[in-house]
């Protein structure tokens, strides 16, 4: 879903005048497309400003595509329903982009608005530096999916992505290391820089590492992995995160109303830190 306020998804994602924002990560491996679409709508009602789809490493294209389509259709329906409702106050903006967050060249969908086209910068394997990217690039060039160049850095504990991606994990005190990688990302002209602790991580990314990355001009900072509370999200934002990503949290709640209230309070706490 394309934002009406910005020409490109990159403009929207990197617009820091909108303050720190929350992104919801939906993993197609962990839920049906229908459940994913319901959760995405709830997340948007709660204040989430980006829906990311991906995460797991082995999800086939078809599953990712079905999930992206289900989310897009549900958002289109909400926009249509709102346009038919004379009393609608239009409080919820449903023009929220659906962005692929791929585990590799197999997890793509032409129905997505954009993709975090990532280099796992601290991987020891060529495959995750440029190999998967090369495998997907020609296909992506034939779609309308906008590419958001992203430096992706996996920090300790790293979880599955650290293991599978053969990451030389960034340790919590390695501020110099993050400065080096973030400068490197800026010099490559990457637009986004994602500090990842791993999905379901027991420790979120160390705040000093976030500050280091945020001190480099020209990058939009994403932080994710192990964030479950408003206080954790607030810490990330206070230290310079432009986007806080949560994934597992969304899967913790069977009851959609409970999920909405949990996410709403997290986003509120996180946003208050900037005022
Ligand atoms: C994983 O950073 C994201 O890539 C989200 O992590 O599932 O721990 O929220 P969680």
């Amino acid at each position: 879903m394309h934002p009406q306020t910005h020409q490109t998804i990159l403009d929207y994602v990197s617009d820091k005048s909108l303050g720190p924002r929350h992104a919801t990560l939906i993993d197609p491996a962990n839920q049906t497309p229908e459940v994913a679409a319901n959760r995405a709508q709830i997340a948007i009602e709660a204040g989430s400003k980006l829906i990311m789809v991906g995460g797991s490493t082995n999800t086939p294209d078809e599953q990712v595509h079905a999930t992206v389509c289900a989310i897009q259709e549900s958002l289109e329906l909400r926009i249509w329903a709102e346009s038919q409702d004379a009393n609608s106050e239009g409080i919820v903006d449903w023009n929220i982009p659906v962005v692929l967050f791929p585990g590799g060249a197999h997890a793509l969908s032409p129905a997505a608005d954009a993709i975090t086209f990532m280099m796992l910068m601290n991987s020891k394997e060529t495959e995750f530096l440029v190999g998967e990217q090369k495998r997907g690039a020609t296909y992506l060039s034939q779609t309308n999916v906008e590419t958001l160049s992203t430096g992706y850095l996996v920090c300790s504990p790293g979880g599955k992505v650290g293991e599978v991606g053969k990451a030389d994990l960034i340790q919590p005190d390695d501020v110099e290391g993050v400065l080096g990688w973030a400068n490197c990302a800026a010099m490559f002209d990457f637009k986004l820089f994602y500090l990842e602790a791993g999905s379901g991580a027991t420790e979120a990314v160390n705040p000093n590492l976030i500050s280091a990355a945020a001190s480099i001009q020209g990058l939009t900072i994403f932080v994710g992995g192990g964030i479950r509370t408003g206080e954790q999200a607030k810490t990330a934002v206070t230290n310079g995160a432009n986007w806080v990503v949560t994934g597992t949290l969304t899967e913790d709640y069977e009851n959609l109303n409970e999920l909405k209230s949990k996410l709403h309070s997290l986003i509120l706490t996180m946003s208050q830190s900037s005022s």
Side-chain angles (χ1 to χ4, degrees), residues 27-33 53 58-68:
D27 190 340
N30 297 347
Q31 53 216 299
T32 63
V53 177
N58 302 321
T59 324
D61 279 336
E62 306 76 61
Q63 208 169 332
V64 174
H65 183 56
T67 303
V68 171

Side-chain angles (χ1 to χ4, degrees), residues 18-19 41 47 86 105 125-126 177 201 206 217 221 228 233 267:
L18 297 173
Q41 290 171 74
E125 300 253 330
T126 319
N206 185 290
Q217 292 292 309
I221 309 296
R228 283 164 181 270
I267 293 168

Side-chain angles (χ1 to χ4, degrees), residues 147-232:
T147 45
L148 310 172
S149 55
T150 305
Y152 187 53
L153 207 58
V154 183
C155 306
S156 178
K160 189 119 187 265
V161 67
E163 241 171 76
V164 175
K166 305 278 189 303
D168 188 6
L169 296 177
I170 302 289
Q171 297 307 311
D173 60 353
D174 192 8
V175 167
E176 285 303 313
V178 170
L179 274 178
W181 287 120
N183 267 310
C184 193
M187 288 173 187
F188 273 129
D189 206 18
F190 291 165
K191 304 298 183 200
L192 278 43
F193 192 69
Y194 193 133
L195 288 167
E196 169 76 83
S199 185
T202 44
E203 290 282 323
V205 175
N206 185 290
N208 295 333
L209 302 183
I210 304 173
S211 310
S215 71
I216 306 305
Q217 292 292 309
L219 299 170
T220 295
I221 309 296
F222 278 64
V223 176
I227 295 176
R228 283 164 181 270
T229 67
E231 285 308 311
Q232 286 174 306

Side-chain angles (χ1 to χ4, degrees), residues 79-158:
I79 289 172
W80 180 83
E82 207 152 272
S83 73
Q84 302 301 303
D85 180 359
N87 299 321
S88 163
E89 291 169 21
I91 294 167
V92 177
D93 181 5
W94 294 102
N95 291 287
I96 297 295
V98 180
V99 175
L100 295 169
F101 178 64
H106 50 83
L108 305 178
S109 161
D113 300 299
I115 179 170
T116 50
F117 195 74
M118 303 189 281
M119 176 188 281
L120 202 175
M121 300 187 84
N122 58 329
S123 176
K124 289 176 271 192
E125 300 253 330
T126 319
E127 188 190 346
F128 297 104
L129 293 166
V130 285
E132 287 293 317
Q133 297 79 342
K134 178 229 165 201
R135 288 211 292 134
T138 303
Y139 168 77
L140 279 171
S141 74
Q142 293 157 355
T143 69
N144 289 323
V145 178
E146 186 181 327
T147 45
L148 310 172
S149 55
T150 305
Y152 187 53
L153 207 58
V154 183
C155 306
S156 178

